[in-house]
Amino acid sequence: MFDLSHPIEDAMPVYPGTPPVHVAQRATIEQDGFAEKSLSFTSHTGTHMDAPAHMVLNGQTLDQLPLETFVGRACVVDVAEDGALIQQSTLQSAADLIARADFVLLDSGWWRRWKQPDYYQAYPTLSPEAAEWLATFKLKGVGVDVASVDPINADTFRIHGILFAANFVIIENLTNLDRLPRGRLFGFAALPLPIRDADGAPVRALAWLDAPTMPLS
């Protein structure tokens, strides 16, 4: 099994303008007989999932979605060579695989910049044409290894809108994507915290290989 989640910790990176994360020790075994931490962070902290309600008025919240939305078969597509704008032609090379998948994970290699000053600067995003092409598949969601599917300086959230219109969930800030096999499907889950009326939530994202996982021609 492969952990694809950044750990939630005090003073971890957050999207510009977002309140900082605070994780503090509230009680210790030595002083209180038990250990407990206090947590303060927003619903889009670290590796997290966006629900349609994040951008769509009266859109579905995560707790309104069936549990099977968060689990399925996934494939990973290498998009690092595209640079700042992920092209439809790059995704089309994996069309047969995407057609069999529930989730598409895009590995740009940007996850390696986590905690570096430029993590939130000019990260790769889908072109509108690539997003529209993905939206033609019967997927449950799209995962990326960057802070957002839209550019940091976007005036609108066009890519979010395209993916939400296709009833996809969006998983952002994935990590460790180099550990995943290429050219085959694998098990994937991104389980959000059960927050009431959640526009988004941190997830524990993981992938696994199992007996039915066979290379696809």
Side-chain angles (χ1 to χ4, degrees), residues 73-178:
R73 308 296 286 172
C75 66
V76 63
V77 181
D78 289 314
V79 296
E81 292 187 3
D82 282 3
L85 204 60
I86 300 167
Q87 301 296 329
Q88 178 180 335
S89 57
T90 301
L91 302 180
Q92 283 178 319
S93 66
D96 290 345
L97 194 58
I98 293 171
R100 298 179 174 94
D102 299 305
F103 296 90
V104 175
L105 312 182
L106 305 178
D107 184 3
S108 72
W110 202 261
W111 56 270
R112 294 183 175 90
R113 301 177 189 237
W114 182 250
K115 293 188 176 180
Q116 295 182 18
D118 63 347
Y119 182 78
Y120 289 100
Q121 300 174 14
Y123 49 78
T125 56
L126 287 162
S127 69
E129 294 76 19
E132 293 279 10
W133 184 80
L134 279 179
T136 65
F137 290 84
K138 294 182 179 180
L139 297 168
K140 295 180 180 181
V142 172
V144 296
D145 60 352
V146 298
S148 174
V149 294
D150 279 292
I152 193 73
N153 58 354
D155 294 328
T156 63
F157 299 102
R158 183 177 179 183
I159 306 303
H160 277 87
I162 292 169
L163 300 180
F164 286 146
N167 297 315
F168 294 174
V169 294
I170 300 169
I171 307 109
E172 296 167 332
N173 291 325
L174 289 167
T175 189
N176 298 329
L177 296 184
D178 64 329

Side-chain angles (χ1 to χ4, degrees), residues 38-56:
S38 64
L39 310 172
S40 175
F41 50 81
T42 69
S43 54
H44 297 264
T45 291
T47 306
H48 67 274
M49 182 178 289
D50 291 355
H54 181 44
M55 299 281 181
V56 179

Side-chain angles (χ1 to χ4, degrees), residues 50-66:
D50 291 355
H54 181 44
M55 299 281 181
V56 179
L57 186 64
N58 299 319
Q60 283 187 301
T61 56
L62 291 179
D63 53 314
Q64 292 174 330
L65 298 173

